[in-house]
Amino acid sequence: MRIAFMGSGGLGGYFGARLAKGGADVHFIARGKHLEAMRRDGLRVEGPEPIHIPSVKATDDPREVGVVDVAVVGVKLWDTEAALEQMRPMIGAHTAIISFQNGVLKDQYLRAAYDASQIMGGVGYVATTIDRPGVIRQTGPMQRLLFGEFDGSRSARGQALLAACLAGGIKAELSGDIVREIWQKFVFLVGLSGTTTTIRKPIGPIRANEQTRRFLLDVMREVVEVGRAHGVDLPADYAEVRLKLADDVAYDMTSSMHHDLERGNRLEVRWLAGAVVELGQRMNVPVPLNRAVADILALHAGGRAA
């Protein structure tokens, strides 16, 4: 398969490296020093299972890539609309477009730019960051991709992508209810990102303290209530289920938004806690804790340069 990653950071760089290792024809769209390092030294993943792809196809111009079978959107959410326009030269009549970005609003942007029949839903789980140009650091063993058609069918393109993922050692699954999968991740992600970024600690101390543990649980409960109000098939006690997941992850696990705050980068809070506020308002569901997270981080959302 010809697979292009629009964005080659923690998620795109990691899963792209695995797909390339498995034999897929992978193209990375990157920029700046990260792109320069990839062109010069290839792409390296450091962590539990090190990977080095000594020669990768990397560019900042999608026109050099041409039409691909699968285009993966992995840029930060504030870059989505610009990226969707930039990637047009890679999109043919039969190209599948998948976003593994954070949140539940992402696919609205894809549908606004491309035909809905080309879009598949996707969820990515991995704890990674760009450690230095050309190097992705995996900070925990968790890695998983779920994707599928929005109508629940097992399409040929989905099965072909699944085979490519499995060949690269990716823990991948075709989902028959990808909307629910997206919201299941969203519940945990909003809780993890909101608490680690406002408290400025990894998950370990947060889950160990009675007060902050309750805060984490209640933030996730609000997300569940909003999802159920929008017709998503989530159990009423799903926040409690996700709290058990928080107990099982590494003590020092944190969120990409926490990393971004520490580095003075822009934050995705508008599409995480902010999205809960927005979607809650549509259905008259009160979400005071997510509103508090969004308000606390508002002055940091644009990064230090803002």
Side-chain angles (χ1 to χ4, degrees), residues 275-291:
V276 178
V277 175
E278 177 184 332
L279 294 171
Q281 288 174 340
R282 292 183 194 175
M283 305 302 289
N284 294 316
V285 177
V287 289
L289 296 185
N290 278 279
R291 169 68 188 273

Side-chain angles (χ1 to χ4, degrees), residues 1 120 147 153-165 174:
M1 297 188 80
M120 296 178 66
F147 44 87
S153 64
R154 289 183 66 88
S155 63
R157 64 187 184 182
Q159 293 183 66
L161 179 58
L162 177 64
C165 288
L174 258 181

Side-chain angles (χ1 to χ4, degrees), residues 146-262:
L146 297 100
F147 44 87
E149 304 292 349
F150 282 102
D151 65 3
S153 64
R154 289 183 66 88
S155 63
R157 64 187 184 182
Q159 293 183 66
L161 179 58
L162 177 64
C165 288
L166 295 177
I170 297 170
K171 297 172 184 175
E173 297 175 38
L174 258 181
S175 171
D177 191 347
I178 195 61
V179 172
R180 183 177 61 193
E181 297 285 1
I182 290 170
W183 271 86
Q184 285 178 343
K185 179 184 178 181
F186 190 55
V187 171
F188 181 67
L189 179 62
V190 169
L192 179 70
S193 63
T195 55
T196 57
T197 311
T198 54
I199 299 172
R200 304 187 79 161
K201 292 284 187 181
I203 192 65
I206 293 170
R207 70 191 182 200
N209 177 277
E210 182 180 351
Q211 188 171 355
T212 53
R213 181 182 182 86
R214 188 166 57 248
F215 178 58
L216 168 62
L217 176 60
D218 288 343
V219 167
M220 293 193 293
R221 280 174 171 163
E222 290 183 356
V223 187
V224 171
E225 290 176 13
V226 171
R228 285 168 59 84
H230 280 270
V232 183
D233 184 19
L234 294 172
D237 65 347
Y238 190 67
E240 285 76 5
V241 173
R242 295 310 262 180
L243 186 63
K244 293 178 183 177
L245 172 64
D247 286 330
D248 293 336
V249 300
Y251 182 90
D252 60 352
M253 182 181 178
T254 188
S255 64
S256 59
M257 192 162 77
H258 183 201
H259 282 303
D260 286 334
L261 178 70
E262 294 295 305

